[in-house]
Amino acid sequence: MTANKKKHKALKIARNIFLIFFAVCVAAAGAITLRGYYMYTSALEQLPVRRAAGEVRAKEGFTPLSELPDTYLDAVIAAEDHRFYEHGGVDYIAIGRAVYNDIRTMSFAEGGSTITQQLAKNLYFTQEKELTRKVAEVFMAWNLEHSFSKEEILELYVNSIYYGSGCYSIGDASRTYFHKEPSDMTDYECTMLAGVPNAPSVYDPSVNPDLASQRQRQVVGLMVKYAGLSQDKAELLTCGVN
């Protein structure tokens, strides 16, 4: 066999291997998407989104968005999902960045979930990082965006996310950590609580005050970057001055 024929045969084998690998990946992705869709529809049959929202609003200590400081809401969006008002439930830019970083580090360290996806997870699914559940979460996020306004989604989110120390709403967190209603929180307290849900067991102010303060400074930095907070105001906030 000549060198050219050997090269041609090797290229043909490589092409066939690639096509088989590609077909397997497509089939696997299709199967995961289908399982995720079934998980989504099953969850929706058991608890329609309007009823799920009603259960959150009926909780003792539910705090309407109108009673929350603007600083807190700006901090939450800057820290968790700065394109919240621009996407339709899924931030494809954030997902692309997360996939790249996860492949680079060979881990699931970065998720790219939006506030809407996190709300979907809080209302319906587990915290486990599993592909089928992530797909179901995406379908549910699209449903939530179709069913509610952005303000309603944000209101449901801050009243269902975990803040550590047994607190599952901003009202509970404010009363537990600061002994005051959410509407009375200072700017420093607002920025501190906005950072806790990222890792409640790590940033719980009553357990790890130093780490909570470190996270608060990160949130303030994100507000400078995404929410138009001035550097002078940021420096005061990181020192605990309103």
Side-chain angles (χ1 to χ4, degrees), residues 79-231:
E80 294 295 332
D81 183 5
H82 67 273
R83 282 186 286 269
F84 175 64
Y85 285 104
E86 301 169 17
H87 61 65
V90 178
D91 187 342
Y92 299 103
I93 296 174
I95 288 177
R97 183 190 66 241
V99 169
Y100 169 77
N101 288 332
D102 287 346
I103 291 174
R104 183 172 55 85
T105 60
M106 297 301 291
S107 70
F108 285 103
E110 191 169 342
S113 291
T114 63
I115 283 175
T116 314
Q117 286 175 267
Q118 292 180 61
L119 176 61
K121 180 171 58 180
N122 294 341
L123 296 179
Y124 289 98
F125 306 115
T126 67
Q127 303 297 314
E128 183 181 353
K129 291 185 177 182
E130 196 266 334
L131 286 177
T132 299
R133 195 271 298 161
K134 290 292 291 184
V135 171
E137 179 185 290
V138 167
F139 282 115
M140 192 64 73
W142 287 335
N143 191 313
L144 291 171
E145 289 276 343
H146 178 74
S147 302
F148 303 107
S149 69
K150 287 288 188 179
E151 288 72 23
E152 288 175 312
I153 289 171
L154 184 58
E155 183 179 70
L156 292 169
Y157 171 78
V158 299
N159 281 283
S160 62
I161 197 73
Y162 187 54
Y163 293 83
S165 291
C167 303
Y168 284 89
S169 72
I170 181 57
D172 288 345
S174 178
R175 285 184 285 272
T176 296
Y177 295 126
F178 308 131
H179 310 293
K180 59 176 67 173
E181 293 301 311
S183 58
D184 297 325
M185 288 192 298
T186 66
D187 288 347
Y188 178 81
E189 292 165 344
C190 286
T191 51
M192 176 168 282
L193 284 193
V196 172
N198 180 260
S201 62
V202 176
Y203 300 127
D204 185 323
S206 64
V207 177
N208 300 310
D210 290 340
L211 291 177
S213 295
Q214 179 180 316
R215 174 60 178 163
Q216 184 268 346
R217 291 191 291 272
Q218 292 175 350
V219 170
V220 171
L222 291 169
M223 292 180 73
V224 171
K225 186 175 182 179
Y226 298 122
L229 184 69
S230 71
Q231 193 61 51

Side-chain angles (χ1 to χ4, degrees), residues 19-128:
L19 289 175
I20 291 171
F21 176 76
F22 180 76
V24 169
C25 289
V26 170
I32 291 171
T33 301
L34 191 59
R35 289 199 300 270
Y37 180 75
Y38 285 147
M39 181 182 288
Y40 152 71
T41 56
S42 176
L44 204 58
E45 287 175 2
Q46 295 178 47
L47 184 65
V49 290
R50 293 289 178 184
R51 184 147 57 95
E55 290 182 0
V56 174
R57 292 178 178 131
K59 290 195 307 184
E60 184 178 356
F62 175 85
T63 307
L65 214 62
S66 59
E67 296 180 14
L68 293 171
D70 289 339
T71 299
Y72 171 72
L73 298 175
D74 290 344
V76 169
I77 292 172
E80 294 295 332
D81 183 5
H82 67 273
R83 282 186 286 269
F84 175 64
Y85 285 104
E86 301 169 17
H87 61 65
V90 178
D91 187 342
Y92 299 103
I93 296 174
I95 288 177
R97 183 190 66 241
V99 169
Y100 169 77
N101 288 332
D102 287 346
I103 291 174
R104 183 172 55 85
T105 60
M106 297 301 291
S107 70
F108 285 103
E110 191 169 342
S113 291
T114 63
I115 283 175
T116 314
Q117 286 175 267
Q118 292 180 61
L119 176 61
K121 180 171 58 180
N122 294 341
L123 296 179
Y124 289 98
F125 306 115
T126 67
Q127 303 297 314
E128 183 181 353

